[in-house]
Amino acid sequence: LQKILILLHVTTCVVVGKTLMILFPNAMKRYILKQGEKSRMNENPKFSYENWGPTFFSFQYLLFVLKVKWKRLEDQAYEGHPAPNTPVVTFNGEVRHLFDFMQDNRPLILNFGSCT
């Protein structure tokens, strides 16, 4: 059910966005560039709007956003439900899953941190 709701929401957003790009191309360009400023996409002079702007609200864009949102569903934890078997990357760059680190009935402790 969640995947269907996400499909409907993303498809609606893409259709509305594509329609606005056709009807108001300059306004949408300004809007997309403003969004690009937040992610600092505009800072690379070799990566101009003409390279990436028209890809917004395309069919490939729709598929990519759906893939990301559906993948995030698998990574969410809910109180009282089993934990997700989220993929993690080891120091060696190997992709494993959380449950790969479990040993017998011992609890699995995750310690998150950052280094700068």
Side-chain angles (χ1 to χ4, degrees), residues 8-114:
L8 291 172
H9 178 258
V10 172
T11 302
T12 303
C13 290
V14 168
V15 168
V16 169
K18 190 65 164 180
T19 304
L20 290 174
M21 281 184 82
I22 292 168
L23 296 175
F24 309 104
N26 293 331
M28 285 302 288
K29 180 179 179 179
R30 285 192 307 272
Y31 173 77
I32 291 171
L33 285 171
K34 192 169 190 166
Q35 296 303 313
E37 287 174 10
K38 292 179 183 177
S39 64
R40 298 169 41 176
M41 290 172 62
N42 301 355
E43 292 180 11
N44 185 346
K46 295 182 181 179
F47 195 54
S48 68
Y49 173 82
E50 287 70 26
N51 293 334
W52 54 270
T55 64
F56 274 68
F57 309 116
S58 66
F59 184 69
Q60 290 84 6
Y61 174 87
L62 170 72
L63 294 179
F64 176 77
V65 173
L66 284 176
K67 179 181 173 184
V68 169
K69 288 189 174 277
W70 286 346
K71 183 66 181 158
R72 285 185 183 165
L73 282 176
E74 299 169 8
D75 294 341
Q76 294 179 352
Y78 298 98
E79 186 176 343
H81 291 76
N85 193 15
T86 305
V88 293
V89 179
T90 66
F91 288 116
N92 302 337
E94 179 185 358
V95 177
R96 307 264 309 267
H97 287 83
L98 280 181
F99 295 170
D100 296 342
F101 298 97
M102 293 184 71
Q103 298 175 3
D104 301 322
N105 270 347
R106 296 177 60 191
L108 178 64
I109 299 174
L110 304 175
N111 184 10
F112 296 94
S114 65

